[in-house]
Amino acid sequence: MAAVVGIRAWPRPVVLALGTLLVAACYYAAGRIGLMQQLVAEGAVVTPIWPPTGLAVTCLLLFGPACVPGIAVGALLVVASITPPGPAAIGVVAGNTAAPVCAYLMLRAVGFRTDLARIRDGVALVFLGALAAMLVSSGAGVGMLALGGKLPAGDVWFVWLAWWVGDAMGVVIVTPLLLLLYRARRAPPRDRWAEAAVFVLVAGVVVPLAVYSRVSMLFLVYPLLIWAALRFQLAGSMPCALFASVMATVAAGDHTGSFGRLTDVEVMVKLQAFNGTMALTALLLSSVISEQLHTRRSVERACQELVEALQHLSAGTPPGPPRRTEGGATGRPGE
């Protein structure tokens, strides 16, 4: 706490400069992680999941527009590490910076809440923050590469689709995980640790089996996602989706398991379809379960207050105003 107070006492330009450097460094690190798993299809190098988009959207949602310079610097560093400077590179940087900003503005306009406890928040993140906003980055990047002569005209649509889906998957998978980590304040109840350990063990066996089996068995991942969403909500479903996505991406890059004996284009299409449907299932199902649990708790609190009020009336004493207890339940003074 003392460190936070000390930082706030620093001059504002210094704080902004340090924040910009931190966001840029995190963006660059996420970009290097994304580039570790590249796929080549039709002569173009694409990444099935682009984590920096999810990181950028998360920073904007949590800390606001002050993160924009850091996102721009990070995007510039990533692009400069893989392509020489030029007009096309500047266009890619501009698109990668503008897309998260568009996502932030659209999500803010619809009242998005970072706890993702409502189904409307999950739907908004998928369709506005991911699918709609990432049209900006994919369109700007592919357009500048095509205009600069670095991308054949026949490959434009395929590369654009792969770019768009990769950026969107970065938002759908990475953003909920980072928001969850930011809001984590305490460990889960002890009675859930045993089930969590069993789930981790089962996922560690089933996911590699489904991905690396010569027979296409990717569908085995979906019961795991349903189990995780029902019992652990986002805290279970999104890490499971990320683990399955990474395993599938590695297998696709090696053309093994479920991705063996396929052409480069078929591998990309199958991988993107798997990652997309899996991430959407995990996020939306977890949001539905969280909203239902929140509604049930609200109804239980209302029923408890009603019972207490009736007890006071039957005893001939007027009920006092409800008070908030440490656990979030309500009670009456003196009880």
Side-chain angles (χ1 to χ4, degrees), residues 285-304:
L285 183 58
S286 297
S287 298
V288 170
I289 300 300
S290 298
E291 186 175 38
Q292 290 180 345
L293 291 176
H294 178 74
T295 302
R296 188 182 70 180
R297 295 189 188 103
S298 299
V299 172
E300 290 176 348
R301 286 195 297 266
C303 292
Q304 182 181 1

Side-chain angles (χ1 to χ4, degrees), residues 12-326:
R12 181 172 177 80
V14 175
V15 175
L16 292 177
L18 291 177
T20 298
L21 292 177
L22 180 60
V23 172
C26 293
Y27 190 103
Y28 178 76
R32 300 309 302 176
I33 293 174
L35 291 172
M36 291 174 61
Q37 292 298 327
Q38 299 178 350
L39 296 179
V40 179
E42 297 293 336
V45 179
V46 294
T47 54
I49 301 176
W50 188 237
T53 57
L55 173 68
V57 172
T58 303
C59 290
L60 289 169
L61 289 173
L62 294 178
F63 308 112
C67 299
V68 173
I71 295 171
V73 173
L76 179 61
L77 293 175
V78 173
V79 173
S81 67
I82 58 178
T83 185
I90 298 301
V92 172
V93 171
N96 287 350
T97 305
V101 174
C102 291
Y104 164 71
L105 294 176
M106 288 189 291
L107 291 175
R108 184 178 179 183
V110 298
F112 177 81
R113 285 181 6 193
T114 57
D115 58 1
L116 289 169
R118 304 176 300 175
I119 182 60
R120 58 177 293 185
D121 297 323
V123 171
L125 183 63
V126 171
F127 290 98
L128 295 180
L131 299 181
M134 295 307 118
L135 291 172
V136 176
S137 58
S138 59
V142 174
M144 293 301 297
L145 292 177
L147 291 175
K150 297 184 177 182
L151 185 64
D155 298 338
V156 168
W157 288 110
F158 176 80
V159 175
W160 171 82
L161 179 62
W163 193 317
W164 175 56
V165 174
D167 284 0
M169 288 304 98
V171 176
V172 173
I173 294 179
V174 176
T175 297
L177 277 174
L178 295 180
L179 292 176
L180 183 67
L181 290 175
Y182 179 80
R183 296 180 60 85
R185 294 292 183 270
R186 57 184 179 181
R190 293 183 179 180
D191 58 349
R192 304 297 296 275
W193 281 106
E195 183 180 1
V198 172
F199 175 80
V200 170
L201 180 62
V202 173
V205 174
V206 173
V207 172
L209 175 64
V211 171
Y212 284 97
S213 174
R214 293 184 177 181
V215 181
S216 184
M217 302 177 64
L218 294 176
F219 60 88
L220 293 178
V221 175
Y222 292 96
L224 289 176
L225 293 177
I226 296 173
W227 177 10
L230 289 174
R231 300 297 296 166
F232 306 103
Q233 290 78 60
L234 286 174
S237 63
M238 297 314 300
C240 180
L242 179 62
F243 174 59
S245 178
V246 171
M247 293 291 295
T249 302
V250 173
D254 296 335
H255 284 261
T256 59
S258 298
F259 301 92
R261 300 182 301 274
L262 299 177
T263 65
D264 291 338
V265 175
E266 291 172 342
V267 167
M268 176 57 65
V269 171
K270 185 174 183 178
L271 178 63
Q272 298 286 37
F274 173 70
N275 286 341
T277 55
M278 180 182 57
L280 291 177
T281 300
L283 177 58
L284 296 182
L285 183 58
S286 297
S287 298
V288 170
I289 300 300
S290 298
E291 186 175 38
Q292 290 180 345
L293 291 176
H294 178 74
T295 302
R296 188 182 70 180
R297 295 189 188 103
S298 299
V299 172
E300 290 176 348
R301 286 195 297 266
C303 292
Q304 182 181 1
E305 292 178 8
L306 180 60
V307 169
E308 293 174 354
L310 292 176
Q311 290 175 348
H312 281 285
L313 291 175
S314 62
T317 59
R323 60 178 175 85
R324 182 68 60 180
T325 64
E326 182 179 356

